[in-house]
DNA sequence: AGAAACTCCGAAACCGGTTTCGGCAACGGG
DNA sequence: CCCGTTGCCGAAACCGGTTTCGGAGTTTCT
């Protein structure tokens, strides 16, 4: 049953210096060294610096596994990725992980990740991870408006940091992009180009960001002195296909919009798909703006104007916030916001000169393509 | 310095059942229980089943951290993601991680991930990870033709499994998609539509897959009875911009290709960009086929025909193979291949009827757009 | 000067496991 | 019947840390 070979000790363990090595070199006991390094008050300052110096010189790094069995802390932060049907967080993942692991390793921490198929699983997986000391707490990506994970972790007294602002975000530490500002900004830009009828295509309202972006859109309209027309807002869309249908609906009216603002790039793709299918020229016949700065935005033609968030920075900030929080659970909440950067693209332009002509053009096109579903 | 509150024990540790609990319930010593569970030969079969039964009944799960300090195994598999400049592995990541973590958690393992900026860092990071018992070994994504990681891990006697086939893949365990077959398949399909001049746009040759796909392209041409024309092959391309330039070069000749086969979807995007910029209609004027099945492929218009690999399955297979390997380092190498699935798209069609006319059309278009760089 | 308080460190228990060693009992052979 | 195996388990050391306890030496106070 057991592998009878174990020459690995040769090449694997030789370099590791243990606390016993350190204590012998210093002529102290393990206990004293441990207390010196962990900031106990009953160690003289001279001894402490002596220990710390020697630890650095000898390259001593405590084995987090060994610490964990006594302290319960394994110095690893957890991330449970939910693979819900129409998740849009994929492209960001690599950059986000880069930021996270970077911040983590700077403090000697590591990142443990798991995946889950649904929200219910997530809670169980998180419980197991902290129970088995595989994670000391969690980064919560893609926060929902009413997020069960928050209540759960609060109840379990497990540290966490949110990426996004939940409904009750006053009581949580979070990091987020100010996407509502981006939406307002987009409306202002479109209005500046002369657009009067700017539609909004939003995603499922259980996502926290949906609320913020919708509100940003509305605020943008008000600032621009434009009316809020409910007929120009379609929400709860999950995938490009649904966004395509919504686009058709928006353009089939008597007063179709000349620009469509999308909550995500993924939804903007649906707008493109429909526009392409009926031969509408994006950027001239119809302006489109997305949000996320995803790779897909650059793959579209003309390039989709969008807002990209620096996900590496987000990951790094979340990692730092988390570790700080674990180190002091009583510290005040940390809440940080950044702005997404606008990425111009050929998808925006001035509205067609004569809106009526445009409407006729569209209705004719639509009549030709009634079969589209 | 230390947090003086520790009521967490209440809600965190209460459920955990230790090996001592188990041994007391069974009226055995810890040592006996441990040996019974770990398959030592000096335990009677009756005792063993009694222990295993009780362990299951009481929900005993050994704390991997505690095991690790003695055995050196932490039951976590490592993944170091290299964020090189023009990495194309982002879209796959989520699905790939899903497969990996799924396979891992099935065996009670977890996934520790780290990121690195360059190849040199990767080796150091891997060394640290195994040194600190954060990982028992590694999955190597995006294997290079001559991969330093392989030699390194081999030297360090650390288990690993490759995702991809390196130059010396005879001596490694790997999982991979048979992308060379996909390339041949694509050529066959294009030839079947009547294409005679099929170009190939390949990526950097330090990637292992570049060699395979190029060879697949060549084999496909031979099978179709077409000549291999070096003028129709441009390789070592890293980004869409370079692919766009290559496309221009290919189309500027006297006998331009009517179809372009791309080693990756990312490169196909460059072909689209150039074609769009000069008003070429993809699917009729020029056929394009990619590889990867990335989200970008669906964002392009017309949709890019491509080959998608089931990255979740790949992750799951790699995870299983890895754990099996760790459990028995002396087992024979495992080598597994799957086929990528063809995803049709509007980017392929029959070649233009009169190639000469097409060439003239192109040269005229190109003349109009000499400024393109 | 003596008692009280304080500083600082050693000794040892502990965490949750694994692994070595030795011995008791049953068994088999001569 | 005695002795050498063998099977099976307990005892105890160990892994690399943390944490409690107590006591020796020094300082402070009266």
């Amino acid at each position: 049953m057991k592998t009878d070979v174990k020459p690995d000790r040769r090449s694997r363990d030789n370099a590791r210096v243990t606390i016993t090595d350190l204590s012998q070199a210093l002529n102290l006991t393990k206990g004293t060294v441990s207390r010196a390094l962990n900031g106990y008050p009953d160690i003289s300052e001279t001894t402490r610096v002596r220990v710390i110096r020697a630890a650095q010189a000898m390259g001593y790094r405590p084995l987090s596994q060994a610490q964990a069995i006594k302290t319960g802390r394994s110095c690893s932060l957890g991330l449970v990725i939910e693979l819900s049907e129409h998740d849009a967080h994929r492209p960001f993942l690599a950059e986000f992980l880069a930021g996270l692991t970077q911040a983590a390793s700077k403090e000697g921490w590591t990142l443990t990740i798991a995946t889950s198929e649904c929200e219910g699983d997530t809670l169980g997986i998180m419980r197991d991870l902290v129970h088995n000391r595989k994670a000391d707490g969690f980064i919560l990506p893609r926060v929902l408006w009413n997020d069960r994970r928050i209540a759960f972790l609060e109840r379990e007294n497990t540290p966490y940091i949110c990426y996004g602002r939940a409904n009750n975000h006053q009581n949580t530490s979070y990091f987020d992009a100010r996407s509502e500002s981006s939406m307002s900004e987009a409306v202002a830009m479109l209005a500046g180009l002369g657009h009067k009828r700017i539609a909004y295509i939003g995603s499922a309202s259980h996502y926290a960001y949906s609320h913020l972006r919708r509100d940003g859109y509305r605020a943008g309209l008000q600032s621009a002195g434009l009316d809020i027309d409910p007929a120009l807002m379609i929400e709860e869309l999950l995938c490009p296909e649904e966004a395509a249908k919504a686009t058709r609906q928006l353009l089939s009216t008597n007063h179709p919009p000349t620009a469509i603002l999308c909550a995500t790039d993924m939804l903007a793709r649906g707008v493109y798909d429909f526009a392409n299918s009926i031969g509408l020229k994006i950027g001239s016949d119809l302006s489109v703006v997305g949000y996320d700065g995803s790779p897909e935005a650059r793959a579209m033609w003309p390039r989709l104007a969008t807002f990209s968030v620096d996900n590496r920075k987000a990951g790094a900030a979340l990692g730092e916030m988390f570790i700080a929080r674990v180190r002091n659970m009583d510290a005040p909440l940390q809440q940080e916001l950044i702005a997404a950067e606008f990425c111009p693209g050929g998808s925006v332009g001035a509205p067609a000169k004569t809106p009526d002509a445009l409407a006729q053009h569209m209705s004719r096109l639509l009549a030709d393509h009634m079969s589209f579903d």
Side-chain angles (χ1 to χ4, degrees), chain A:
Chain A
M1 296 286 181
K2 312 300 307 180
T3 119
D4 41 2
V5 350
K6 49 172 174 179
D8 25 332
R9 193 168 189 82
R10 169 176 45 89
S11 58
R12 302 269 278 274
D13 281 359
N14 53 3
R16 172 157 281 283
V17 31
T18 75
I19 199 172
T20 307
D21 300 337
L22 191 55
S23 67
Q24 283 172 353
L26 286 166
N27 234 9
L28 294 171
T29 57
K30 303 195 302 182
T32 303
V33 172
S34 173
R35 278 171 297 167
L37 292 173
N38 290 23
Y40 275 65
D42 62 344
I43 298 289
S44 76
E45 205 50 33
T46 56
T47 305
R48 188 190 311 286
V49 302
R50 199 164 72 95
V51 170
I52 292 176
R53 281 246 166 69
Q56 255 166 351
M58 299 179 59
Y60 169 71
R61 299 259 324 177
L63 189 61
S64 62
Q65 325 261 358
Q67 309 189 102
I69 79 177
K70 186 76 181 174
T71 65
R73 240 188 254 153
S74 62
C75 290
S76 66
L77 74 191
L79 177 68
V80 180
I81 301 171
E82 234 168 77
L83 299 154
S84 51
E85 334 98 64
H86 306 291
D87 53 349
H89 58 195
R90 294 191 211 150
F92 325 138
L93 201 53
E95 287 295 322
F96 183 61
L97 292 179
L100 265 181
T101 54
Q102 191 174 299
S105 74
K106 204 160 60 185
E107 303 287 342
W109 283 52
T110 52
L111 178 65
T112 297
I113 93 164
T115 54
S116 122
E117 302 291 338
C118 67
E119 198 180 0
D121 287 356
T122 304
L123 302 186
I125 289 173
M126 291 198 300
R127 191 204 306 271
D128 280 357
L129 282 172
V130 38
H131 192 241
N132 291 340
R133 306 253 207 291
K134 292 288 200 170
D136 296 332
F138 299 92
I139 308 291
L140 302 186
R142 278 257 172 267
V143 164
L144 304 184
W145 191 235
N146 293 306
D147 204 309
R148 287 173 59 195
R149 296 175 296 180
I150 295 178
F152 174 79
L153 293 174
E154 204 69 62
R155 202 174 336 121
E156 298 267 318
N157 200 22
T158 302
Y160 66 92
I161 304 278
C162 298
Y163 188 8
R165 283 163 284 170
N167 191 9
N168 57 346
H169 62 271
Q170 293 83 358
N171 309 322
T172 68
S173 288
Y174 62 77
F175 181 96
D176 199 7
R178 215 187 303 269
S179 57
E180 66 276 25
S181 304
S182 298
M183 291 291 120
S184 299
E185 196 180 317
V187 172
M189 179 190 61
L190 290 168
L193 286 171
H195 291 274
K196 302 292 183 197
R197 295 186 63 74
I198 303 169
Y200 177 76
I201 283 188
S203 47
S205 62
H206 63 266
Y207 289 126
Y209 68 79
S210 294
H211 298 250
L212 299 169
R213 294 182 196 172
R214 189 225 305 124
D215 294 348
Y217 160 73
R218 284 184 176 154
L221 286 182
Q222 290 189 325
S223 301
L226 296 173
D227 292 339
I228 294 178
D229 183 352
L232 290 182
M233 294 180 64
I234 304 186
E235 302 189 80
E236 307 295 342
L237 303 174
L238 295 170
C239 59
E241 289 72 24
E242 293 185 7
K245 279 192 197 174
T247 306
R248 178 193 181 191
Q249 180 182 329
L250 285 171
L251 296 182
S252 305
T253 60
N254 289 335
H255 291 289
T258 58
I260 299 182
L261 180 54
C262 302
T264 69
D265 287 352
M266 188 188 64
L267 296 177
R269 216 195 81 202
V271 177
Y272 269 61
D273 284 348
F274 180 76
N276 282 324
S277 75
I278 65 168
L280 222 53
K281 280 194 112 58
I282 285 184
S284 50
D285 292 339
L286 180 68
S287 290
V288 183
V289 176
Y291 185 96
D292 274 341
S294 64
E296 286 96 320
R298 281 178 313 211
M300 304 182 190
W301 187 273
R303 178 180 288 207
L304 174 66
T306 182
F307 294 85
S308 82
V309 302
D310 187 339
N311 279 93
R312 187 187 290 228
K313 178 190 275 183
L318 286 161
E320 287 169 12
M321 289 166 75
F322 179 81
I323 293 176
R325 178 147 190 77
V326 167
R327 292 219 171 112
N328 183 6
M329 285 284 279
D330 305 324
L333 296 177
Q334 301 173 74
Q335 308 186 329
E336 205 172 319
L337 291 173
I338 58 166
E341 189 192 0
F342 180 66
C343 303
S347 66
V348 301
K353 307 297 180 301
T354 52
D356 289 344
L358 176 65
Q360 285 172 15
H361 174 68
M362 285 180 182
S363 64
R364 181 169 43 78
L365 286 171
L366 288 168
D368 291 351
H369 293 78
M370 263 329 210
S371 61
F372 186 90
D373 195 21

